[in-house]
Amino acid sequence: NAGVTQTPKFQVLKTGQSMTLQCAQDMNHNSMYWYRQDPGMGLRLIYYSASEGTTDKGEVPNGYNVSRLNKREFSLRLESAAPSQTSVYFCASSELSAYEQYFGPGTRLTVT
Amino acid sequence: AQKVTQAQTEISVVEKEDVTLDCVYETRDTTYYLFWYKQPPSGELVFLIRRNSFDEQNEISGRYSWNFQKSTSSFNFTITASQVVDSAVYFCAFLGAGGTSYGKLTFGQGTILTVHP
């Protein structure tokens, strides 16, 4: 039982490049989330998926897109990376939207 | 909009001291959930506790205890007899149960706790 897994762990991009962050959970959870963590700002919600087939914007969605591929997988795409997107990205899942969320180990992304 | 404030940016204590981390929230929701998470130096986020707005009973789990006071919109976290392994960033978080806020967890900015031997 791996919980929530994220790939890659580290990534360096040049401005304008694109990439997809992958997230998978094996807890049969319905809801999945993407956050970014910046120094001194806590975690901020980018997008979430309350259930398979639905996605919704969070607090900071600009510059990102998401895909809920199936119940297990939720990917985050940066179409044209910008230095302001340098951050640590966390994926999380929960049984239902009102329940506690369990987090992956994070992806440290640097955009130069 | 919901807001979570953790007034203490950093706290430094010596092992075996008790320490309380403050959390204050703002909301117009009548039903909501409150959480505490721990982020140790390794970086992962660890779930500690979830409370709903209708349950104001204090909770104790080993050396950890939580005091929820709806009248003051506070959900404080106390570590008794702190240990070096308690050194981490602690986040308080809020989840509204209605309308457009449903499913959107709002985090405080975190409190960095350092426990010295």
Side-chain angles (χ1 to χ4, degrees):
Chain A
N1 189 337
V4 180
T5 56
Q6 293 182 235
T7 54
K9 285 190 167 52
F10 301 94
Q11 183 72 48
V12 178
L13 292 178
K14 289 185 168 33
T15 298
Q17 287 184 319
S18 62
M19 79 160 296
T20 300
L21 281 63
Q22 306 286 355
C23 173
Q25 53 91 9
D26 63 2
M27 296 177 281
N28 201 33
H29 283 172
N30 291 291
S31 303
M32 297 186 73
Y33 313 82
W34 277 105
Y35 294 88
R36 59 177 289 173
Q37 184 178 26
D38 302 296
M41 300 193 72
L43 282 86
R44 293 181 293 169
L45 183 65
I46 304 171
Y47 271 94
Y48 74 104
S49 171
S51 60
E52 189 179 352
T54 68
T55 60
D56 204 351
K57 294 178 181 178
E59 183 185 350
V60 288
N62 291 344
Y64 305 95
N65 284 301
V66 290
S67 295
R68 182 76 183 264
L69 305 168
N70 47 56
K71 191 171 185 179
R72 287 187 65 246
E73 297 172 288
F74 189 38
S75 62
L76 178 72
R77 182 159 178 84
L78 287 71
E79 290 291 352
S80 179
S84 60
Q85 294 178 304
T86 294
S87 189
V88 180
Y89 291 85
F90 286 96
C91 177
S93 71
S94 63
E95 187 175 344
L96 295 170
S97 297
Y99 286 29
E100 59 271 18
Q101 296 177 18
Y102 294 91
F103 286 77
T107 295
R108 188 172 294 275
L109 175 67
T110 303
V111 183
T112 61
Chain B
Q2 344 292 349
K3 186 177 177 183
V4 178
T5 302
Q6 295 179 251
Q8 304 137 315
T9 304
E10 289 192 56
I11 300 176
S12 183
V13 299
V14 176
E15 218 171 11
K16 295 185 185 172
E17 281 187 41
D18 297 349
V19 57
T20 295
L21 284 61
D22 297 331
C23 173
V24 173
Y25 60 93
E26 296 174 28
T27 184
R28 292 184 179 180
D29 290 349
T30 54
T31 302
Y32 50 86
Y33 305 89
L34 298 164
F35 303 82
W36 276 94
Y37 283 86
K38 174 182 180 180
Q39 186 174 40
S42 53
E44 77 274 21
L45 281 128
V46 178
F47 164 73
L48 296 177
I49 190 170
R50 167 183 179 267
R51 304 295 286 185
N52 73 55
S53 52
F54 297 109
D55 184 1
E56 288 194 69
Q57 261 194 321
N58 291 335
E59 178 144 347
I60 299 174
S61 176
R63 296 184 297 107
Y64 294 173
S65 62
W66 291 269
N67 179 256
F68 174 31
Q69 292 200 330
K70 211 166 175 177
S71 59
T72 55
S73 297
S74 65
F75 186 43
N76 297 336
F77 174 30
T78 297
I79 302 174
T80 303
S82 59
Q83 299 176 2
V84 172
V85 293
D86 296 326
S87 296
V89 183
Y90 290 87
F91 291 98
C92 180
F94 174 98
L95 178 66
T100 57
S101 63
Y102 190 65
K104 299 179 182 179
L105 198 57
T106 300
F107 282 83
Q109 293 185 329
T111 297
I112 302 170
L113 174 65
T114 304
V115 181
H116 299 280

